[in-house]
């Protein structure tokens, strides 16, 4: 992308990346920290490659009703 001076990078984060839970058995610390890390990478990388006309964005979809993850 840098040699072409053009490109788009889209990272998929999560709406819940900045929220833990009071339930100590939920084990969401790894998930939340990885998604927050992705947000930090997105912000930093966008600054680093912006001068090369490369856009870096993240989408953060919310919860989706499904069989494997019941809505609360």
């Amino acid at each position: 992308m840098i040699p072409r001076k053009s490109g788009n990078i889209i990272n998929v984060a999560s709406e819940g990346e900045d929220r833990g839970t009071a339930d100590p058995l939920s084990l969401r610390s790894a998930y939340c920290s990885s998604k927050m890390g992705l947000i930090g990478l997105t912000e930093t990388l966008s600054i680093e490659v912006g001068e090369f006309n490369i856009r870096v964005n993240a989408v953060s979809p919310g919860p989706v009703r499904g069989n494997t993850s019941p809505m609360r």
Side-chain angles (χ1 to χ4, degrees):
M1 290 184 203
I2 290 177
R4 288 185 304 189
K5 296 196 183 294
S6 177
N8 297 303
I9 298 171
I10 302 172
N11 294 320
V12 180
S14 170
E15 178 189 272
E17 78 269 353
D18 61 346
R19 287 190 279 288
T21 178
D23 180 4
L25 299 178
S26 71
L27 302 176
R28 296 195 35 100
S29 59
Y31 177 80
C32 290
S33 63
S34 67
K35 292 301 182 174
M36 286 301 292
L38 186 60
I39 296 297
L41 172 67
T42 301
E43 292 175 357
T44 303
L45 191 57
S46 68
I47 294 168
E48 292 177 354
V49 299
E51 67 184 273
F52 301 105
N53 197 33
I54 299 171
R55 293 182 297 177
V56 185
N57 294 293
V59 293
S60 295
V64 176
R65 187 178 304 272
N67 293 336
T68 60
S69 60
M71 301 287 285
R72 293 183 182 162

